[in-house]
Amino acid sequence: MAYALASEPGSAAAPMAELKIVVAGGFGVGKTTMIATISEIPPLRTEEVLTDAGRGIDDLAGVASKTTTTVAMDFGRITFADSARPMILFLFGTPGQERFWFSWSDLSYGAVGAVVLADTRRLEDSFAAVSYFEQLETPFVVAVNEFDGAYRYTPDEVRQALELDPGVPVLTCDVRQRASAMTVLIQLVEHSLRRRRHLTSGALA
């Protein structure tokens, strides 16, 4: 499937763009919840119950109440048909545990951008996803999922802790709330388009 960006606003009969978005981050950070919250179709989930086999492998610090884990991917879809730039976003959620990272390459292929979800209680778990998309040169945003009871850090504090490039947007969100999750996706698409225009203008200069 080709993931092309739609024509510029105002162009005649702008085609519907089909964009692939990856939702990544550490174990238990809210990837499955975000896709379930925002998807217009029943989301595809590949969750399995956590068992004693994962004891000593899966770090449950901060997410002790979690009973399931994604072992392949999550999938959802959202359509923006009434916007000036009509598009369909296909959402692919990655597994958070290190032993399933081998699947990230396939899930990220052809993506126009990525959401790196972060939990301030386990911020170090975000480094792997940040490094991965930096190496791929895939546009991404960092979205801090503000869990109940977690300390509230400012976006600048998160940016400094993760050593992010100044151009990477850092947002706060509650992925249980549809409007909040939608804002993250919109910010990512806009960031990706800005990156595309910048690279195109640089190539033409």
Side-chain angles (χ1 to χ4, degrees):
M1 181 182 294
Y3 299 97
L5 296 173
S7 302
E8 292 297 320
S11 61
M16 182 75 76
E18 297 180 347
L19 308 181
K20 180 179 183 181
I21 302 294
V22 177
V23 181
F27 176 56
V29 79
K31 302 179 293 295
T32 298
T33 300
M34 179 177 183
I35 291 176
T37 297
I38 204 169
S39 179
E40 65 194 15
I41 61 173
L44 169 66
R45 298 178 176 178
T46 58
E47 289 193 306
E48 295 291 342
V49 175
L50 290 168
T51 67
D52 287 340
R55 193 178 302 276
I57 300 175
D58 301 325
D59 181 8
L60 297 179
V63 288
S65 62
K66 187 171 176 60
T67 59
T68 61
T69 183
T70 298
V71 297
M73 69 172 187
D74 296 308
F75 174 77
R77 185 188 73 197
I78 182 71
T79 302
F80 295 91
D82 299 327
S83 63
R85 193 183 295 270
M87 63 185 70
I88 301 173
L89 302 184
F90 296 101
L91 310 175
F92 290 80
T94 66
Q97 295 148 290
E98 185 173 355
R99 66 182 188 272
F100 298 126
W101 286 356
F102 65 86
S103 66
W104 284 28
S105 179
D106 288 337
L107 293 177
S108 301
Y109 180 78
V112 300
V115 175
V116 176
L117 279 179
D119 178 354
T120 57
R121 300 169 302 176
R122 299 153 56 94
L123 198 57
E124 66 278 2
D125 290 354
S126 304
F127 279 107
V130 167
S131 296
Y132 183 79
F133 294 113
E134 285 179 341
Q135 291 175 17
L136 285 183
E137 298 185 349
T138 298
F140 68 94
V141 301
V142 172
V144 179
N145 190 14
E146 295 190 320
F147 285 87
D148 296 337
Y151 186 82
R152 300 296 192 250
Y153 292 93
T154 67
D156 283 342
E157 288 174 324
V158 173
R159 179 186 305 282
Q160 183 176 3
L162 293 178
E163 300 178 352
L164 296 173
D165 183 273
V168 176
V170 179
L171 318 168
T172 58
C173 65
D174 182 340
V175 299
R176 299 169 298 181
Q177 303 297 321
R178 182 176 175 82
S180 183
M182 287 280 283
T183 297
V184 172
L185 291 183
I186 291 170
Q187 290 291 320
L188 172 62
V189 171
E190 291 179 347
H191 175 55
S192 180
L193 290 171
R194 287 194 299 269
R195 276 277 304 271
R196 179 174 179 261
R197 285 194 293 265
H198 176 73
L199 293 174
T200 300
S201 62
L204 295 176

